[in-house]
Amino acid sequence: MTGTYRTFVSHYRAAVRQYVPKRLTEVIALVSLSTTFFLFIHTQALNSKLAEVQQSGPSAANYEELVQTNQIQRGGAHHQKGVSSSGRFQSRDLATAGSRSRDGGRVITSSGGSDEWPEDIDAYGVLNPAELNNTRKAVKEILFFNRVPKVGSQTTMELMKSLSMRNNFHYHKDRTQKVETIKLTYSEEKRLTHLVNSFNPPSVYVKHVCFSNFTRFGLPMPIYVNMVRDPVERVISWYYYVRAPWYFVERKRAFPDLPLPNPNWLRKDYETCVRTNDPECRYLPGSRRDGFGDHRRQTMFFCGHGDECTGFNTEVAMRKAKENVERHYAVVGVLEELNKTLTVLEHYVPRFFKGALDTYWREVHIFSKINRNIYKPKVEEATKEIVRQNFTRELEFFDFCKQRLHKQYLAVLQAKQNP
C-alpha cells in the first residue's frame, strides 16, 4: 500500500508541474480531489488492518473499552479487583477495599466463577439493599438509559437487546443524529419526557442526553440507569474514537453531505495535542461548549440541562450531579468494574437485568468487539497527570459513583451472607 501511494504521489506531482491550472476554481477542485484520495488511501489501509485483527478473535486485542481491572476468565474463578487503571482505589473512603479473602468466604457468580469477600464488607454496618435502591420509587416499568459516550454504553445497549428477549420487555433507541444535542431547551426537554412516558411498559429507552426531572412536567420518573468511566481515560478514548477510520466512514455513509476531516487533524496524536496546548486538548475550568461536541464532562449528563450544568469542572455542576444520582438513579455502573456493575444491576433492577451477568459472559465473543478501537495508542502517564490537574471535580464525581456502586454491592453480599 505504501509503494502504491508513493507511486501515485510521484505521478501526481509530475502532472501538477506539467498542467498547472490557471483558474482558481481548478486549483480548489484539484486540492479537494487530492484530499479525498488521501483519505481513501488512509481508510483502505486502516480497514485492512482492522479486518486482520477482527479475524483473529477477541484474544488478539485488548478489551480496553470493556474490562480493565475487573477481568474474569470465562467460566473460571479469577477476578482482579480494587485498583483502577490509573492506580487509584475505588474511592477515598474505600482505600482498603481489595481482593483478600475474608474467613475463606466466597460469593458464587452467575457466570460460574467465584468472588472473594471484600474485607470492608462490614465497614458500613448492616446495609439494606432496598434502602439503597431507587427502583422501588418507580410507578411505571420504564427504564431510561441516558447514556454517556465512551463508557461502554454501546456494549450495555447490546446487552439490553439480548435481555429484552429473555426478560420480555420493549427496547427503544433514539435514531442516529447528524448533530447530537445533549443539552435541550425547555420545549425539547418537555417533548422528550412525554415521549419516554408514552412507551408501553415494560420498556427501555436509550439516548445520549442530559438528565431530566420528569416531575417538572407533571410526569412520573422513569427508572434511571447509566455508566461512568475514569474521566481522563474517557476523553482519551473519545479523542481517538472520532479519528478511527470506521467512525467517519460510517458517518459519511449515513450523512453524505458531511465534509471530510482534515488529514492533519486525523494524524494529530493526543500526547502532542496536550503538550502543545492545542485548543482541542485544553480543559479550562468553567469553560462552556454546548452540544455533543463537549465530550469532556460526565457530570453534565447527570446534572441536567440548566446553565449551571454547562461549565467544565465546576463545583455547582458536580454537586447537582451527585444529588441527582443519589435521588433518582437506580444504578450508575462503572466500566472499570463491569462484573460488579452487572451484579448490582441484576439485583437492583431485576425486571430488566435478570441474567445480565450470565448473558454477558456467555456472549462475550459478541460484546467484546463492540466499538473496540485498535488504533488507540498508549498515552504516557505523565501526559495523563497533566490532564488530571484540570479534572479534579470530574474525578471526584467518578469516585462518588464508584463508592455508591461499591456500597450497593456490599449490601447484596451481606444479604447473601445473612439470608
Side-chain angles (χ1 to χ4, degrees), residues 370-383:
I370 298 170
N371 266 8
R372 186 178 65 203
N373 189 358
I374 64 172
Y375 305 113
K376 191 182 87 170
K378 180 180 178 181
V379 176
E380 295 296 327
E381 281 300 318
T383 302

Side-chain angles (χ1 to χ4, degrees), residues 38-74:
F38 170 81
L39 289 172
F40 173 77
I41 294 293
H42 180 70
T43 302
Q44 288 294 103
L46 292 177
N47 277 336
S48 299
K49 193 182 298 182
L50 176 62
E52 292 174 5
V53 173
Q54 287 180 334
Q55 289 173 4
S56 64
S59 61
N62 186 359
Y63 289 177
E64 183 281 322
E65 292 292 301
L66 302 175
V67 186
Q68 293 185 10
T69 61
N70 192 34
Q71 297 177 353
I72 297 181
Q73 292 176 350
R74 176 76 169 92

Side-chain angles (χ1 to χ4, degrees), residues 328-367:
H328 302 297
Y329 280 80
V331 177
V332 175
V334 177
L335 176 64
E336 290 87 345
E337 298 179 1
L338 186 58
N339 193 55
K340 183 185 292 185
T341 295
L342 296 177
T343 300
V344 171
L345 283 169
E346 277 198 19
H347 286 84
Y348 285 70
V349 200
R351 179 63 187 87
F352 297 97
F353 288 97
K354 181 181 179 181
L357 196 61
D358 179 67
T359 300
Y360 178 85
W361 291 109
R362 191 179 64 248
E363 302 178 16
V364 67
H365 62 288
I366 298 174
F367 298 126

Side-chain angles (χ1 to χ4, degrees), residues 69-70 79-83 90 97-99 115-116 118 340 406 409:
T69 61
N70 192 34
H79 287 240
Q80 296 175 346
K81 299 174 55 184
V83 184
Q90 293 172 357
S99 59
D115 199 356
E116 295 175 337
K340 183 185 292 185
H406 186 64
Y409 181 67

Side-chain angles (χ1 to χ4, degrees), residues 166-183:
R166 172 173 177 163
N167 295 335
N168 193 28
F169 61 83
H170 307 288
Y171 175 88
H172 307 276
K173 176 186 174 295
D174 186 34
R175 68 181 186 276
T176 302
Q177 306 285 342
K178 185 175 182 179
V179 178
E180 194 90 46
T181 303
I182 62 172
K183 181 177 179 290

